[in-house]
Amino acid sequence: MKTRTLILAAAVAVALAFVPMFGSDVMIQFGINALVLAVLAQSWNILGGFGGYVSFGNSVFYGLGTYGTAIAMTTYNLPFGVGLVIGVVLAMLGAALVGVPILRLRGPYFAIATLGLNGAMMAIFSNLPIAGTNIGLVLPLTRNDTMFYELSLALLVACTLTVFWISRSRYGMGLIAIREDEDAAGTMGVNATLYKVTALILASIFTAVAGGIHAYWSTFVDPASAFDSTLNVRMVIMCVFGGPGTVFGPVIGSFVLSTVYEVLAAQISTAAALLFGVVIVLAVIFMPRGLADIMRDRANFTLRYFIRNIRENRL
Amino acid sequence: MTAPAKTPASRTVIETRGLTKRFQGLVSVNNVSFAIAENETLGVIGPNGAGKTTLVNMISGTLTPSEGEVIFDGARINDVPAFRRAHLGIARTFQVMKPFPGMTVLENVAVGALFGRDGGVKSMAQARESAREWLEFTGLGKRIGVGADSLGGPDRKRLEFAKALAMKPRLLLLDEVMAGLNPVEVDEVVDLIKSIRGQGLAMLVIEHVVKAIRSLSDRVMVLHHGEKIADDDPTTVLEDPRVIEAYLGKRRT
């Protein structure tokens, strides 16, 4: 990766840190949501983008993060930090327990198996007295949007740095080899099971922290919002839109899509979801390799780029 | 069947005992026993469907044998997963080439250096350096930066070869690395293989090019319908009437 790209990324991160000083309340709140979504897309990128395993179960880690934090703070009156740690530990345990059996499945079978996880967790937490059953939990109110914003930004930076490290490490090479051809990777000495499970656990850490931050900020957790499978769909869309298996693609993708959605919702509230869907369909048809691919070779970014993609998709 | 001509001092690297693989009703490999010693090259020939690739799959760990044993360096490795066999020092090429299409040629080979024998090297810089050397060696030095999916047939064969070599194997399984090459290219690959012999490396070479098999192999084993029908020095085997019959059919008298 070019030094220029890294300097630019660092400058953007620093600039974003100053947004709460100048931005409006609405702006900061939009920022928190966008940053949390970017963390989710970036975490999904670890196993999904580098390892090539499309998971619809990552939102479970988000849910475990929210509930870990919420239960610790309400039932046990523990501080927020301890809540986050509990959430992360829960999510890591979940990732390890679920990952070992499910990551034996390949391709669509893996994706289908992960689809069931949200429903299962929702059913479990709806019946847990400690988690407030299906009514949910109300967290102590803290009106400090700037803190939540900066926390989310710090988390996104940490997550992106982790992905940056992955992209240039032996570990990342192993994951990419698995994505490209798992059997060939195995005969070349890559311990595929270990790599896939650790990738899922790594993703679960950042996803759970994002969930914890969001739970404390929104002060309310219930099974339906914690284990929301559409949240997972958004992670996948944002990551794929930006460029799976790249360092900055998922971040850019989620920022762009969050903004598009926000603008659409403000202009034409009812049709926003529909138009959002149209944007995604067009994106998948015209630029299936994401924004990152376009930026990588800007010289070829002409009409021909789109035509080539359409041809390759046999549309 | 005569006993393989072997120097008594050389150590056996790989050995199979009564190796059998059944796919439902079909017996693909039937009761095959053989051994390859250090510095020895075993050529394996046989008509299509004779079970050559299945045999390699059982040694490299992509398939589990139905019966029999795979013994590497004196230890039974039937239940050892493929990646751990790579760490032990077993490397292979695939007849149907399996480059990692989304990686560059250099990265493809670096994977071998990073994860091969004894778990490979830990440093990316070292892996790239070693990958560069093996690509130079296999004649792909000028194509280091291109995507692996943009390579043509012969270059893909070279890439397979470089990837396996970067793993620093003790046993190298070459599954038809010369298929589809023209005679000049075949000679080049034969020279490459000859130049890596020695240093303890045991090799199993599956090939249809008889000239190449003759010049490379210390011994030639013939498989037919999954069974071993010959295992001897190249000249004896290639003139064996049963071998000729297996390949060309019965001579009409």
Side-chain angles (χ1 to χ4, degrees):
Chain A
M1 194 169 303
K2 283 189 211 109
T3 330
R4 216 176 46 196
T5 317
L6 295 177
I7 293 169
L8 184 68
V12 168
V14 171
L16 282 176
F18 286 104
V19 166
M21 290 176 71
F22 308 103
S24 63
D25 286 354
V26 178
M27 182 81 182
I28 297 170
Q29 282 163 11
F30 164 74
I32 296 171
N33 273 319
L35 288 169
V36 165
L37 279 172
V39 170
L40 299 183
Q42 185 69 289
S43 316
W44 189 89
N45 188 29
I46 299 174
L47 181 65
F50 285 88
Y53 271 76
V54 174
S55 156
F56 287 101
N58 277 31
S59 48
V60 163
F61 309 135
Y62 177 86
L64 289 172
T66 62
Y67 265 108
T69 309
I71 292 170
M73 290 181 75
T74 54
T75 315
Y76 298 104
N77 287 318
L78 292 166
F80 176 54
V82 179
L84 280 184
V85 172
I86 292 172
V88 167
V89 170
L90 275 179
M92 287 173 78
L93 283 175
L97 283 175
V98 162
V100 172
I102 281 189
L103 280 166
R104 289 170 180 275
L105 305 169
R106 296 210 181 163
Y109 300 101
F110 171 79
I112 291 165
T114 58
L115 266 175
L117 293 173
N118 269 304
M121 292 311 275
M122 212 192 288
I124 292 172
F125 275 79
S126 298
N127 292 292
L128 274 186
I130 196 180
T133 62
N134 56 351
I135 299 160
L137 295 170
V138 177
L139 286 86
L141 181 67
T142 304
R143 297 187 66 90
N144 189 350
D145 282 357
T146 307
M147 179 192 82
F148 289 115
Y149 179 93
E150 300 296 352
L151 272 178
S152 310
L153 181 61
L155 182 62
L156 179 59
V157 170
C159 188
T160 303
L161 283 174
T162 307
V163 170
F164 176 64
W165 168 79
I166 288 173
S167 74
R168 34 192 332 174
S169 67
R170 178 175 180 267
Y171 179 72
M173 286 291 270
L175 276 182
I176 297 171
I178 291 168
R179 175 186 77 199
E180 297 296 320
D181 191 322
E182 189 163 342
D183 290 324
T187 54
M188 292 184 79
V190 180
N191 184 348
T193 310
L194 179 73
Y195 274 61
K196 290 185 291 186
V197 174
T198 47
L200 192 64
I201 291 175
L202 212 52
S204 78
I205 297 172
F206 295 107
T207 310
V209 176
I213 292 174
H214 196 269
Y216 191 22
W217 178 55
S218 66
T219 70
F220 180 65
V221 174
D222 72 340
S225 67
F227 301 105
D228 177 7
S229 54
T230 63
L231 183 65
N232 205 109
V233 174
R234 267 184 282 169
M235 296 179 202
V236 181
I237 290 171
M238 289 174 164
C239 179
V240 172
F241 179 79
T246 63
V247 178
F248 297 113
V251 179
I252 298 166
S254 46
F255 283 173
V256 169
L257 286 184
S258 288
T259 311
V260 168
Y261 189 79
E262 201 63 27
V263 170
L264 287 175
Q267 302 295 323
I268 28 161
S269 52
T270 44
L274 175 73
L275 273 176
F276 190 64
V278 171
V279 169
I280 288 156
V281 171
L282 290 178
V284 169
I285 293 172
F286 288 108
M287 29 178 265
R289 276 177 297 271
L291 290 171
D293 187 57
I294 293 176
M295 293 190 198
R296 201 175 298 133
D297 65 342
R298 244 161 301 170
N300 291 326
F301 184 55
T302 55
L303 198 59
R304 204 171 287 155
Y305 177 86
F306 296 119
I307 293 169
R308 197 179 64 221
N309 279 330
I310 293 173
R311 281 226 185 92
E312 280 175 15
N313 284 318
R314 291 160 208 266
L315 284 164
Chain B
M1 222 172 296
T2 44
K6 228 182 3 172
T7 37
S10 61
R11 234 170 76 200
T12 303
V13 175
I14 186 81
E15 191 183 347
T16 69
R17 289 185 195 149
L19 208 57
T20 301
K21 181 68 191 179
R22 284 186 215 94
F23 296 104
Q24 263 103 40
L26 181 84
V27 185
S28 175
V29 172
N30 193 1
N31 196 22
V32 171
S33 306
F34 71 92
I36 311 175
E38 282 180 338
N39 296 321
E40 192 182 26
T41 304
L42 176 72
V44 178
I45 60 172
N48 289 327
K52 304 182 295 286
T53 299
T54 307
L55 186 70
V56 165
N57 283 342
M58 285 191 281
I59 298 171
S60 72
T62 3
L63 285 176
T64 10
S66 308
E67 270 168 46
E69 290 185 312
V70 183
I71 296 156
F72 183 79
D73 213 10
R76 186 176 184 271
I77 58 163
N78 281 32
D79 306 315
V80 176
F83 76 89
R84 210 156 272 148
R85 297 192 196 192
H87 298 175
L88 289 172
I90 301 179
R92 70 170 294 180
T93 67
F94 286 91
Q95 180 187 6
V96 181
M97 290 87 82
K98 286 179 182 256
F100 302 122
M103 290 185 177
T104 65
V105 167
L106 184 75
E107 285 167 341
N108 260 275
V109 182
V111 171
L114 283 169
F115 295 97
R117 182 165 156 199
D118 301 327
V121 298
K122 302 292 172 235
S123 118
M124 289 288 280
Q126 229 176 311
R128 280 176 204 281
E129 192 46 49
S130 134
R132 199 166 282 129
E133 281 165 24
W134 286 117
L135 284 165
E136 247 2 288
F137 177 77
T138 49
L140 279 173
K142 289 198 174 64
R143 314 228 51 191
I144 277 175
V146 306
D149 52 351
S150 67
L151 291 184
D155 279 349
R156 279 184 190 218
K157 292 279 180 192
R158 289 201 178 89
L159 180 61
E160 278 289 310
F161 195 38
K163 281 166 79 173
L165 287 173
M167 293 167 68
K168 301 206 169 132
R170 295 185 52 206
L171 170 67
L172 183 57
L173 309 161
L174 298 175
D175 193 354
E176 297 202 12
V177 279
M178 291 169 224
L181 301 187
N182 68 37
V184 179
E185 289 163 341
V186 165
D187 286 343
E188 282 170 15
V189 174
V190 167
D191 288 341
L192 280 181
I193 297 175
K194 277 185 177 166
S195 64
I196 56 165
R197 277 204 296 209
Q199 294 150 31
L201 183 69
M203 263 192 285
L204 185 153
V205 183
I206 295 179
E207 211 51 68
H208 281 303
V209 186
V210 170
K211 195 179 90 177
I213 278 288
R214 197 191 290 272
S215 74
L216 280 175
S217 313
D218 299 309
R219 275 187 304 134
V220 173
M221 171 164 88
V222 186
L223 291 183
H224 187 43
H225 295 315
E227 285 174 43
K228 181 164 111 169
I229 59 166
D231 183 349
D232 213 324
D233 67 87
T235 321
T236 319
V237 167
L238 293 170
E239 280 158 15
D240 187 327
R242 283 176 310 163
V243 174
I244 296 168
E245 190 191 310
Y247 259 103
L248 303 172
K250 252 194 182 78
R251 187 181 292 272
R252 285 204 290 178
T253 44

